Amino acid sequence: MTQTTYAVTGMTCGHCASSVREELGELPGVRQIDVDLGTGNVLVTSETALDFGQVEQAIRTAGYQLVR
């Protein structure tokens, strides 16, 4: 298993976190997603390392921006 933390801007509420979880959860190999609204950090546990471009697109689809 691999754990990666991503910084996401624009999330302010439980609905925001739910949207991000839903989109990231569709990526192959994702097992768990923990969102910290206070910091904007999203911890993703996956079977293998995820493609950064796919993660970025999923977060954009949810309506937010991934900080590089």
Side-chain angles (χ1 to χ4, degrees):
M1 289 291 185
T2 300
Q3 288 190 320
T4 308
T5 300
Y6 300 96
V8 178
T9 60
M11 298 184 301
T12 58
C13 65
H15 177 71
C16 299
S18 179
S19 295
V20 168
R21 275 191 211 99
E22 182 179 337
E23 293 300 327
L24 287 173
E26 293 181 12
L27 296 178
V30 171
R31 292 293 168 242
Q32 183 174 341
I33 302 154
D34 296 306
V35 177
D36 183 333
L37 290 173
T39 64
N41 288 334
V42 178
L43 176 63
V44 179
T45 303
S46 56
E47 292 176 2
T48 60
L50 299 174
D51 177 76
F52 185 84
Q54 288 181 326
V55 172
E56 186 172 38
Q57 183 58 45
I59 289 173
R60 270 197 212 137
T61 299
Y64 307 97
Q65 186 172 3
L66 185 62
V67 178
R68 290 184 178 248

